[in-house]
């Protein structure tokens, strides 16, 4: 019974923790403009993150070490440095966006300017990273993130034409006046949002924090293979609700308020309250994850003691990295930069960094010296290799598409 | 002063001078950018229209309606400013004026909505919603004519 509850908690946490500011904004933007025409990209992205998160989790459970740690050992410091540079830049950009997202969510209901809120939120994020137990960060914020289920409820309440939504999902139904290149740009952005590098670093390091062993592989798989796809349903709900509520008015989503407006239309104040709770939980949770990922990446590359499972004094440099990352993020946000714009850039650059992040994971997961009998099977390798091709295509196309389509405004 | 240094100074002066001049798009580019600006403005007006409707239905929590209206106001302001910074090509001054007036009118309407919301003039919400709906239609038609 206790194990069942543990599995259920893990799945619920995975659902609630799946969505971050990148998923919120990108899915709402794409949904309002294209409906569920790019829903297949979300599904593709969810399968991809399941494939690589399962590999990362398995690596952590079998070896007792985090993926990045092993990448450095297995592939050498140069490859690890390339991996670090590629993923750390995106992780820090995402960290900025997430802290900004928390500020925007609170601004939405209080009207206090986000720039004034950012220093306090930065302080709170750092305090949680410093003092809160890892399991508390995971579970509390993951469960509160379940408030975003309100989008699925809102979709039901709006009573859409399910046939039309299904047709959009099944076919790539490009609106007449849109260009294929713009559709391609948003496909890359959605793909990048689903596969952001920090997710796998956090997942594998988190596995070490939680003390996973080989006995935990089945629970880890349940969390990933049930929790993440259900989290993907939330992403599709955000897109669909935006289409139904904002599409007829041709609203172009550029603010968090516009992301929340469809829920207010469907469910009124209570719905909007749930949405805002979900925004805060999702972005605060993701801010903690990205902050930790920045610390994990640098500490593991440099061979420093890391983790919240040791006393702060023993992992002083790990905590120092997180303090510096938080100060950097706050410093960038107080200049008044729009967090939604930062989010848009972060998902595109996420796509660029994907090959550097996921190729090493595939290599380590295939190494019998680390993985023993739990090395990748044929199916995992088939999926992993297929996704590497897709990831490479997305990485190569991201910047040119961003320039040609002027960030999708063309 | 040697030649490379003189050349570098001339290039620097030319670059700085060009940065102070307004962008000069071609007629086709200007039409495309004007159309996009009108579309973006229509989006801001539509957002304001929806906010007024949901405010009237008491569907918005706390100050969220005000925040959304302020954001729409800022967005349309930026849109108008960006388009005004473009030098209209020869023969398009009248069209530029028309587009600029349309953006100003729309911006003013969103400001009226924001003022009504902050002052809680609930009697004015329905009228403003209707005005915003008409303005959105006007902007959309003008945007299509610009293409």
């Amino acid at each position: 019974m206790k194990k069942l509850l543990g599995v259920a908690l893990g799945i619920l946490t995975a659902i609630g923790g799946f969505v971050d500011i990148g998923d919120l904004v990108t899915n709402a933007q794409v949904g309002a403009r294209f409906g569920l025409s790019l829903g297949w990209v979300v599904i593709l992205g969810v399968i991809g993150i399941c494939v690589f998160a399962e590999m990362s989790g398995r690596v952590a459970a079998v070896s007792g070490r985090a993926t990045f740690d092993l990448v450095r050992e297995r592939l050498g410091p140069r490859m690890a440095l390339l991996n670090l540079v590629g993923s750390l830049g995106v992780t820090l950009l995402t960290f900025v966006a997430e802290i900004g997202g928390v500020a925007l969510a609170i601004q939405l209901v209080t009207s206090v300017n986000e720039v004034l809120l950012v220093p306090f939120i930065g302080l709170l994020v750092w305090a949680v990273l410093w003092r809160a137990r890892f399991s508390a960060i995971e579970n509390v914020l993951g469960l509160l993130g379940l408030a975003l289920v309100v989008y699925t409820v809102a979709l039901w309440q709006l009573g859409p034409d399910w046939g039309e939504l299904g047709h959009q999902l099944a076919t790539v139904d490009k609106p007449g006046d849109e260009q294929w290149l713009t559709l391609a740009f948003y496909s890359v952005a959605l793909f990048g949002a689903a596969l952001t590098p920090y997710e796998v670093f956090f997942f594998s390091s988190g596995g070490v924090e939680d003390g996973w062993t080989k006995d935990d592989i089945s629970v880890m798989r349940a969390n990933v293979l049930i929790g993440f796809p259900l989290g993907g349903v939330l992403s599709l709900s955000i897109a669909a609700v935006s289409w139904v509520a904002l599409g007829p008015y041709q609203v172009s989503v550029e603010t968090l308020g516009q992301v929340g407006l469809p829920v207010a239309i469907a469910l009124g104040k209570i719905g909007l309250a749930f949405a805002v709770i979900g925004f805060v939980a999702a972005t605060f949770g993701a801010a903690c994850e990205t902050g930790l990922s920045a610390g994990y990446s640098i500490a593991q590359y440099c061979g420093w003691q890391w983790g919240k499972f040791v006393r702060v004094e023993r992992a002083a440099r790990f905590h120092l990295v997180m303090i510096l990352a938080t100060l950097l993020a706050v410093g960038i946000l107080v200049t008044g930069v729009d967090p939604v714009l930062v989010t848009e850039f972060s998902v595109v650059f996420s796509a660029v960094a994907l090959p550097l992040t996921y190729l090493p994971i595939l290599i380590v997961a295939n190494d019998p010296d680390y993985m023993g009998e739990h090395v990748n099977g044929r199916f995992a390798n088939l999926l992993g290799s297929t996704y590497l091709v897709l990831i490479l295509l997305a990485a190569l196309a991201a910047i040119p598409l961003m320039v040609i389509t002027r960030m999708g405004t063309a | 002063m040697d030649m490379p240094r003189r050349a570098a100074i001339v290039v620097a002066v030319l670059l700085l001078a060009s940065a102070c001049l307004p962008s000069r798009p071609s007629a086709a580019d200007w039409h495309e950018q004007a159309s996009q600006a009108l579309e973006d403005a229509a989006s801001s007006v539509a957002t304001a229209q929806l906010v007024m409707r949901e405010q009237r239905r008491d569907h918005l929590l706390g100050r969220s309606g005000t925040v959304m209206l302020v954001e729409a106001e800022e967005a349309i302001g930026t849109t108008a400013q960006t388009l005004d910074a473009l030098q209209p090509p020869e023969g398009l001054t009248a069209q530029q004026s028309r587009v600029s007036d349309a953006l100003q009118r729309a911006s003013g309407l969103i400001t009226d909505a924001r003022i009504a919301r902050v002052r809680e003039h609930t009697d004015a919400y329905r009228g403003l919603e209707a005005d915003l709906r008409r303005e959105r239609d006007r902007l959309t038609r003008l945007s299509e004519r610009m293409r």
Side-chain angles (χ1 to χ4, degrees):
Chain A
M1 185 65 183
K2 201 174 170 189
K3 188 164 184 184
L4 218 62
L5 282 173
V7 171
L9 181 64
I11 290 171
L12 290 172
T13 307
I15 299 169
F18 183 79
V19 173
D20 68 357
I21 188 73
D23 298 299
L24 283 169
V25 169
T26 313
N27 280 290
Q29 284 179 332
V30 171
R33 195 163 170 178
F34 305 110
L36 286 185
S37 300
L38 295 183
W40 62 273
V41 179
V42 175
I43 294 168
L44 205 63
V46 167
I47 295 171
I49 194 62
C50 286
V51 168
F52 287 102
E54 190 278 335
M55 272 187 225
S56 292
R58 191 163 17 100
V59 165
V62 171
S63 67
R65 295 166 67 183
T67 312
F68 200 90
D69 199 2
L70 292 174
V71 163
R72 188 177 193 279
E73 187 176 282
R74 173 70 176 77
L75 300 175
R78 272 194 196 161
M79 183 65 198
L81 182 63
L82 211 57
N83 193 341
L84 177 71
V85 165
S87 60
L88 188 63
V90 173
T91 299
L92 286 173
L93 204 58
T94 310
F95 190 37
V96 172
E98 303 295 350
I99 292 179
V102 181
L104 287 178
I106 297 173
Q107 177 189 257
L108 187 57
V109 287
T110 63
S111 77
V112 175
N113 192 285
E114 65 184 270
V115 174
L116 297 174
L117 292 168
V118 157
F120 299 102
I121 294 163
L123 186 64
L124 191 59
V125 166
W126 168 70
V128 167
L129 293 179
W130 181 41
R131 298 301 293 176
R133 281 185 302 145
F134 188 82
S135 56
I137 297 174
E138 262 189 320
N139 294 335
V140 172
L141 293 170
L143 287 174
L144 281 175
L146 281 175
L148 290 174
V149 167
V150 75
Y151 275 89
T152 311
V153 175
L155 181 62
W156 186 264
Q157 180 66 17
L158 285 172
D161 181 345
W162 294 104
E164 187 195 3
L165 284 177
H167 177 77
Q168 286 177 350
L169 191 58
T171 62
V172 182
D173 204 11
K174 181 179 78 70
D177 53 348
E178 297 282 4
Q179 296 178 18
W180 283 109
L181 284 176
T182 309
L183 226 68
F185 168 75
Y186 280 109
S187 300
V188 167
L190 273 177
F191 197 60
L195 284 157
T196 34
Y198 82 84
E199 291 173 15
V200 285
F201 292 132
F202 177 76
F203 195 67
S204 76
S205 301
V208 175
E209 296 263 24
D210 282 338
W212 287 349
T213 65
K214 292 173 192 178
D215 294 338
D216 295 306
I217 288 179
S218 53
V219 173
M220 177 274 293
R221 279 183 178 150
N223 291 351
V224 169
L225 299 177
I226 300 173
F228 284 10
L230 289 177
V233 169
L234 290 185
S235 293
L236 289 173
S237 300
I238 293 167
V241 154
S242 299
W243 168 252
V244 174
L246 304 179
Y249 298 89
Q250 296 178 308
V251 170
S252 176
V253 174
E254 297 294 337
T255 66
L256 199 62
Q258 288 167 318
V259 177
L261 188 55
V263 177
I265 291 171
L267 298 169
K269 284 180 177 174
I270 301 270
L272 187 57
F274 270 91
V276 172
I277 291 169
F279 291 164
V280 173
T283 50
F284 196 92
C288 292
E289 288 180 18
T290 44
L292 282 166
S293 289
Y296 291 144
S297 305
I298 292 176
Q300 287 165 20
Y301 176 78
C302 297
W304 300 337
Q305 175 62 59
W306 57 272
K308 290 180 62 57
F309 60 94
V310 295
R311 293 175 65 84
V312 172
E313 309 86 73
R314 281 192 57 201
R317 284 176 289 191
F318 165 70
H319 285 276
L320 179 63
V321 167
M322 291 195 292
I323 290 171
L324 292 174
T326 308
L327 285 171
L328 177 67
V330 169
I332 290 171
L333 285 164
V334 294
T335 61
V337 68
D338 181 6
V340 171
L341 189 64
V342 175
T343 302
E344 291 171 0
F345 276 104
S346 76
V347 297
V348 174
F349 286 111
S350 222
V352 177
L354 293 179
L356 291 171
T357 305
Y358 290 109
L359 172 60
I361 293 172
L362 190 59
I363 292 172
V364 169
N366 269 291
D367 193 326
D369 290 339
Y370 294 118
M371 303 299 291
E373 60 176 350
H374 295 281
V375 75
N376 268 6
R378 278 188 194 168
F379 186 58
N381 276 334
L382 176 65
L383 283 175
S385 306
T386 306
Y387 266 92
L388 266 183
V389 173
L390 292 174
I391 279 164
L392 194 59
L393 288 172
L396 291 171
I399 305 289
L401 283 172
M402 183 179 80
V403 171
I404 292 168
T405 65
R406 296 197 295 267
M407 289 290 287
T409 57
Chain B
M1 195 189 290
D2 59 357
M3 270 309 284
R5 216 167 170 188
R6 278 186 200 169
I9 290 171
V10 167
V11 167
V13 166
L14 283 172
L15 279 171
L16 280 170
S18 69
C20 299
L21 294 172
S23 174
R24 294 168 169 265
S26 66
D29 283 344
W30 186 87
H31 274 116
E32 195 190 321
Q33 290 188 60
S35 177
Q36 185 63 54
L38 289 163
E39 251 184 53
D40 293 344
S43 168
S44 298
V45 169
T47 302
Q49 177 198 339
L50 288 170
V51 169
M52 296 315 288
R53 187 186 76 185
E54 298 309 311
Q55 203 64 64
R56 196 165 47 78
R57 294 173 180 176
D58 198 25
H59 276 184
L60 296 177
L61 189 67
R63 298 185 181 192
S64 55
T66 307
V67 171
M68 290 183 214
L69 287 168
V70 168
E71 286 171 344
E73 206 177 340
E74 284 172 356
I76 200 170
T78 305
T79 300
Q81 215 172 15
T82 306
L83 191 70
D84 284 343
L86 293 179
Q87 179 71 10
E90 284 291 335
L92 291 182
T93 310
Q95 285 197 40
Q96 193 267 348
S97 200
R98 211 165 139 210
V99 170
S100 188
D101 288 346
L103 294 175
Q104 288 294 332
R105 193 175 55 240
S107 176
L109 207 46
I110 297 177
T111 302
D112 290 342
R114 187 256 301 160
I115 291 171
R117 171 66 196 100
V118 170
R119 291 179 180 168
E120 292 184 19
H121 288 170
T122 52
D123 294 344
Y125 289 177
R126 193 180 285 273
L128 282 164
E129 185 194 332
D131 291 341
L132 287 162
R133 185 179 59 246
R134 279 191 288 272
E135 191 60 38
R136 177 174 67 90
D137 291 340
R138 267 198 287 266
L139 288 168
T140 305
R141 283 196 300 271
L142 190 55
S143 170
E144 284 163 6
R145 280 205 289 274
M146 282 291 138
R147 285 200 192 277

